[in-house]
Amino acid sequence: MIKYVAVWIFSVLIASFAQVLLKKAANRTYSGLLGQYLNPIVVVSYGIMLVSTMLTTFALHYVPYSSYSPAIESISYISAPLFGVLMLREKISRRQMLGFAVILLGIVIFKI
């Protein structure tokens, strides 16, 4: 079962990556409406989201949803801002750091 949990975690991480890619695409200007939605970054991002959905669905066939979902899905609340720091040079505030700590504490408490 651990390999399916790993697949699910990977799925959450690549979904967070795709969300940051979509934000990166939204920060650009495009000549027209078609260019806004059919540029390579947007197309790749939605492709990654599709793969993420398929991986999550696959993993959920083998992992009990109620036991793992709160902890695994909470990873995205930490990974998306971290990808934002790495890819978009965003800043993380002290308040966000406190939020990350609370999320991690919640995951630990949930799994104990």
Side-chain angles (χ1 to χ4, degrees):
M1 182 173 66
I2 193 75
K3 67 181 176 181
Y4 301 112
V5 171
V7 167
W8 194 0
I9 291 171
F10 177 70
S11 171
V12 168
L13 291 175
I14 65 170
S16 296
F17 177 76
Q19 291 170 2
V20 174
L21 278 179
L22 285 171
K23 184 174 181 182
K24 188 172 188 167
N27 288 338
R28 295 183 175 181
T29 55
Y30 300 96
S31 59
L33 193 60
L34 194 60
Q36 189 173 1
Y37 293 102
L38 293 180
N39 68 71
I41 295 175
V42 170
V43 172
V44 167
S45 297
Y46 282 118
I48 292 171
M49 293 295 273
L50 176 65
V51 170
S52 172
T53 302
M54 292 176 7
L55 287 173
T56 298
T57 303
F58 171 74
L60 285 173
H61 285 294
Y62 303 99
V63 178
Y65 182 77
S66 61
S67 300
Y68 289 90
S69 179
I72 292 174
E73 293 297 328
S74 296
I75 293 169
S76 68
Y77 298 123
I78 297 170
S79 61
L82 292 179
F83 282 127
V85 168
L86 295 172
M87 297 170 59
L88 303 174
R89 303 195 194 295
E90 293 180 339
K91 304 288 184 206
I92 295 181
S93 68
R94 289 183 183 161
R95 190 174 187 173
Q96 286 175 308
M97 293 296 283
L98 178 62
F100 296 159
V102 170
I103 290 169
L104 289 174
L105 181 63
I107 291 171
V108 169
I109 290 171
F110 180 77
K111 291 314 293 173
I112 291 179

